[in-house]
């Protein structure tokens, strides 16, 4: 892909900033592409030159304005329980750092907005892949550990914590629950052979 010119990059940035402002005020479903173009000072075809769809623009808002300061970096190899506790704490901090965006996207997806659902589904796939990669870095991971099932359990549990924060803005103590999660998941992944043999 060719590098963007200074003018193109500035226009793209202007569109993203306008989108962030309008989405924050009114939600994604209530804002049309024409309104976005007008707010950014570009034509509708000019807007589509930079973003193929509103979902594409929502993703760009998240990646370039919400998530850019804290891009995910794989953790160093460590025992599974430690990885789970440290990564879950980082994920919760990332979530709380972009609380308004996640609250908006959750609300819009709940109302059936297809763009919010598409972006949410894409981010969910990336999130699960990050967790899968994280668990594979466990220095005490059993050879036959079911990392796919553990990834599913972890992401489902953490999403429940996130939704709890969306519904109750006052901070809730979660450190103990994250430690408990690591305490339960760790042994399940480090002694998989022993546990499977015991069930037979």
């Amino acid at each position: 892909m060719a590098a963007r010119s200074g003018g193109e990059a500035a226009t793209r940035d202007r569109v993203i900033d306008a989108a962030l402002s309008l989405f924050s005020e009114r939600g994604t479903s209530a804002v049309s592409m024409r309104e976005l173009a007008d707010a950014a000072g570009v034509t509708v075809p000019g807007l589509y030159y930079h973003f193929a769809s509103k979902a594409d623009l929502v993703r760009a808002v998240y990646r370039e304005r919400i998530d850019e300061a804290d891009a995910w970096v794989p953790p160093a190899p460590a025992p599974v329980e430690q990885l789970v506790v440290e990564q879950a704490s980082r994920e919760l901090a990332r979530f709380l750092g972009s609380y308004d965006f996640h609250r908006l996207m959750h609300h819009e997806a709940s109302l059936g907005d297809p763009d919010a659902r598409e972006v949410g589904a894409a981010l969910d796939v990336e999130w699960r892949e990050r967790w899968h990669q994280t668990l594979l870095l466990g220095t005490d991971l059993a050879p036959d550990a079911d990392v796919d099932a553990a990834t599913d359990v972890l992401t489902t549990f953490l999403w429940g914590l996130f939704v709890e924060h969306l519904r109750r803005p006052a901070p809730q103590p979660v450190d103990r629950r994250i430690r408990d999660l690591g305490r339960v998941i760790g042994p399940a992944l480090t002694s998989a052979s022993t546990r499977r043999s015991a069930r037979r």
Side-chain angles (χ1 to χ4, degrees):
M1 176 185 266
R4 293 186 184 95
S5 71
E8 286 181 354
T11 299
R12 187 175 189 281
D13 283 345
R14 206 166 62 244
V15 170
I16 290 172
D17 289 338
L20 177 58
S21 176
L22 288 175
F23 291 160
S24 298
E25 289 171 13
R26 296 168 43 204
T28 56
S29 59
V31 179
S32 70
M33 292 296 266
R34 176 166 296 286
E35 289 173 302
L36 288 164
D38 289 346
V42 299
T43 63
V44 173
L47 179 60
Y48 279 108
Y49 172 79
H50 294 283
F51 302 99
S53 66
K54 193 194 294 184
D56 192 28
L57 179 52
V58 173
R59 268 193 296 274
V61 167
Y62 180 74
R63 293 196 202 300
E64 299 179 32
R65 294 296 183 271
I66 307 295
D67 200 40
E68 67 176 350
D70 191 21
W72 185 73
V73 176
V80 171
E81 183 173 341
Q82 178 183 334
L83 284 172
V84 169
V85 171
E86 291 177 357
Q87 184 64 22
S89 298
R90 277 192 296 271
E91 292 284 352
L92 185 62
R94 284 165 61 94
F95 172 80
L96 294 176
S98 54
Y99 174 84
D100 289 336
F101 176 84
H102 283 99
R103 182 171 52 80
L104 168 69
M105 294 305 293
H106 181 68
H107 176 73
E108 295 291 300
S110 297
L111 294 176
D113 178 52
D115 297 309
R117 287 186 171 185
E118 181 182 331
V119 172
L123 293 175
D124 181 61
V125 168
E126 292 176 17
W127 189 41
R128 287 173 183 270
E129 181 57 29
R130 284 201 308 263
W131 266 107
H132 193 269
Q133 290 177 30
T134 296
L135 292 176
L136 290 176
L137 293 170
T139 54
D140 54 352
L141 186 70
D144 59 344
D146 194 341
V147 176
D148 290 334
T151 298
D152 204 33
V153 168
L154 281 163
T155 54
T156 300
F157 177 85
L158 290 171
W159 181 246
L161 285 183
F162 296 165
V163 170
E164 184 175 289
H165 274 275
L166 291 174
R167 293 185 177 164
R168 295 184 205 154
Q172 300 291 319
V174 295
D175 290 350
R176 181 185 55 78
R177 284 188 277 176
I178 287 176
R179 285 194 306 274
D180 287 346
L181 177 66
R183 190 171 47 78
V184 171
I185 293 289
L189 292 175
T190 58
S191 56
S193 296
T194 304
R195 289 182 178 275
R196 286 179 183 167
S197 297
R199 285 200 300 262
R200 288 183 183 146

